[in-house]
């Protein structure tokens, strides 16, 4: 007969406790404010271009170039942060980005399309990599894996709010004043938010770990088969999101209800926020790879009702379901990336993850635009992207599992006696 009392259950993690941890509210809030330009700048650039007399096509091109340049530059900035710290990137990038956004309405009319294009591309290239930087900070700010799990879910879930609040704020400023004011406010928010993060002690002190586990020589190669397959799968997730955005426009045109073009993506983002809140409140059994595959399967299942070409109100309800599972997919992808990334290259690997989703989103947007006049094909594209993501993950599951690779990331503990990653 054992006299040992059973271990007491771990206390439930609350978001109040997470936000009450030192620096968490400042880092999360600063990152959200600093990333608002991601949702504001493309809309503000488009509105400024059309208000200045350019065509919608040229304005759309400028808007797309800003997003593309921002995504393509992410790994480079992540690489620099992993070598020289966050202070070498965040504030210089934010200052340049804000200056270029403010200069666009001042210099654009005098330099013509060429100068406007250069300013927009420069602004995208210098957008501060706050998302990847924050993910790299969590282990040092929150050493408890359970609290870090909740913070990651909260961080991931709130991203959708950027693309609800940002465009609405630009529309309000442009309507009340003009698009130049919207660009100036966009620049100011980006600079203020980035400064709040960059000047915080965790960001100033952060340096990447350079030592490998068990005293081995650090692994320098990032593009291992496991990492590559993970990022390839995430292009399918981005493809589904991009296709959904275009499908929402096509269904709005079909039913002659313009509001659907904004309501459907907003409901999808709201579902993502709710999913993050639910996911982060408890610890889940199984490995992050298993949760990633299960969540991707549920993400796929959420898109299948679109094949029935639902009516507007049903379509609004349907898109909330894949939105709920999007946060879980992305959060598990970050944890899996962390376990696969070599020591000293975690920020760069997070940046590649972001780029993978962004590249897939661009491809989904482009193809959905070509098929917008074919209702069934347009409705099937989000599911097609999710099918691709799930197929790649299933094929790669042995490589992505904790025992399926030899190298471990900077936050993995030695094999003997280590705790499970949330």
């Amino acid at each position: 007969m054992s006299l040992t009392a059973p271990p007491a259950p771990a206390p439930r993690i609350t978001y109040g406790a997470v936000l009450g941890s030192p620096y968490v509210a400042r880092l999360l809030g600063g990152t959200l404010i600093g990333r608002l330009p991601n949702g504001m700048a493309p809309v503000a650039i488009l509105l400024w271009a059309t208000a200045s007399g350019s065509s919608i096509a040229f304005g759309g091109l400028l808007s797309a170039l800003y997003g593309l340049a921002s995504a393509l530059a992410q790994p480079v900035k992540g690489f620099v942060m992993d070598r020289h710290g966050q202070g070498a990137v965040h504030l210089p990038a934010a200052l340049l980005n804000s200056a270029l956004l403010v200069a666009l309405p001042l210099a654009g009319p005098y330099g013509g399309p060429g100068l406007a294009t250069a300013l927009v591309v420069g602004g995208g290239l210098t957008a501060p990599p706050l998302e990847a930087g924050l993910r790299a900070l969590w282990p040092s700010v929150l050493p408890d894996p359970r609290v870090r799990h909740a913070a990651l879910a909260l961080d991931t879930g709130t991203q959708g709010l950027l693309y609800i609040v940002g465009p609405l704020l630009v529309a309000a400023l442009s309507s009340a004043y003009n698009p130049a004011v919207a660009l100036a406010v966009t620049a100011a928010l980006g600079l203020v938010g980035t400064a709040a993060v960059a000047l915080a002690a965790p960001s100033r002190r952060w340096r990447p770990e350079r030592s490998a586990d068990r005293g081995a020589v650090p692994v320098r190669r990032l593009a291992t088969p496991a990492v590559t397959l993970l990022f390839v799968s995430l292009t399918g997730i981005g493809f589904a999101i991009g296709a959904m955005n275009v499908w929402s426009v096509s269904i709005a045109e079909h039913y002659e209800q313009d509001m659907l073009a904004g309501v459907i993506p907003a409901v999808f983002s709201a579902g993502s926020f709710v999913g993050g809140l639910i996911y982060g409140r408890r610890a889940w059994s199984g490995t992050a790879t298993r949760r990633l595959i299960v969540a991707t399967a549920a993400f796929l299942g959420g898109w299948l009702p679109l094949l029935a070409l639902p009516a507007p109100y049903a379509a609004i309800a349907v898109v909330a379901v894949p939105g709920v599972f999007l946060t879980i997919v992305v959060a598990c992808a970050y944890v899996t990336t962390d376990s696969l990334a070599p020591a000293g290259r975690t920020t760069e690997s997070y940046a590649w993850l972001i780029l993978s989703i962004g590249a897939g989103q661009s491809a989904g947007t482009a193809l959905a635009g070509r098929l917008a006049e074919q209702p069934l094909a347009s409705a099937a594209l989000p599911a097609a992207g999710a099918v691709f993501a799930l197929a790649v993950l299933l094929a790669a599951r042995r490589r992505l599992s904790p025992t399926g690779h030899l190298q471990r990331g900077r936050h993995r503990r030695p094999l003997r006696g280590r705790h499970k990653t949330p």
Side-chain angles (χ1 to χ4, degrees), residues 176-206:
Y177 302 101
N178 56 64
V181 172
L183 279 169
V185 172
T186 299
L189 288 172
L191 186 57
V192 169
T194 304
V197 173
L199 298 178
S203 180
R204 288 188 286 107
R205 293 195 301 253
W206 183 85

Side-chain angles (χ1 to χ4, degrees), residues 357-380:
I357 296 176
Q361 188 167 349
S362 298
T365 300
L367 184 56
R370 298 289 298 271
L371 300 177
E373 296 182 0
Q374 303 179 34
L376 183 58
S378 180

Side-chain angles (χ1 to χ4, degrees), residues 42 94 170 177 333 381:
V170 168
Y177 302 101
L381 284 178

Side-chain angles (χ1 to χ4, degrees), residues 2 32 39 61 74 114 140 179 182 191 200 216 239 244 262 266 298 331 347 380 394:
S2 175
L32 288 174
L61 174 63
Q74 286 280 339
S140 61
L191 186 57
F239 184 96
M244 181 270 298
T347 310
L394 288 173

Side-chain angles (χ1 to χ4, degrees), residues 1 43 64 79 113 129 188 213 257 373 417:
M1 179 177 178
V43 180
F79 179 87
D213 291 340
Q257 297 183 30
E373 296 182 0

Side-chain angles (χ1 to χ4, degrees), residues 224-383:
T224 62
V227 171
T228 301
L229 287 170
L230 174 62
F231 292 168
V232 168
S233 73
L234 293 175
T235 62
I237 301 298
F239 184 96
I241 298 171
M244 181 270 298
N245 288 331
V246 178
W247 171 79
S248 67
V249 175
S250 65
I251 196 174
E253 292 179 350
H254 177 75
Y255 287 100
E256 297 182 350
Q257 297 183 30
D258 292 344
M259 68 174 185
L260 290 175
V263 170
I264 289 176
V267 170
F268 178 81
S269 297
S272 177
F273 178 64
V274 172
L277 293 179
I278 296 172
Y279 176 69
R281 283 186 61 84
R282 57 163 291 186
W284 300 85
S285 60
T287 64
T289 300
R290 182 176 180 275
R291 294 198 302 274
L292 174 60
I293 293 174
V294 171
T296 303
F299 181 75
L300 165 60
W303 293 117
L304 295 179
L306 296 187
L307 299 178
L309 302 179
Y313 290 109
I316 291 171
V318 163
V319 298
V321 177
V324 166
F325 290 100
L326 174 66
T327 293
I328 304 174
V329 170
V330 175
C332 292
Y334 271 104
V335 175
T336 304
T337 298
D338 184 63
S339 70
L340 297 172
R345 299 189 71 173
T346 49
T347 310
E348 183 186 356
S349 65
Y350 295 156
W352 278 107
L353 186 157
I354 297 166
L355 175 57
S356 299
I357 296 176
Q361 188 167 349
S362 298
T365 300
L367 184 56
R370 298 289 298 271
L371 300 177
E373 296 182 0
Q374 303 179 34
L376 183 58
S378 180
L381 284 178

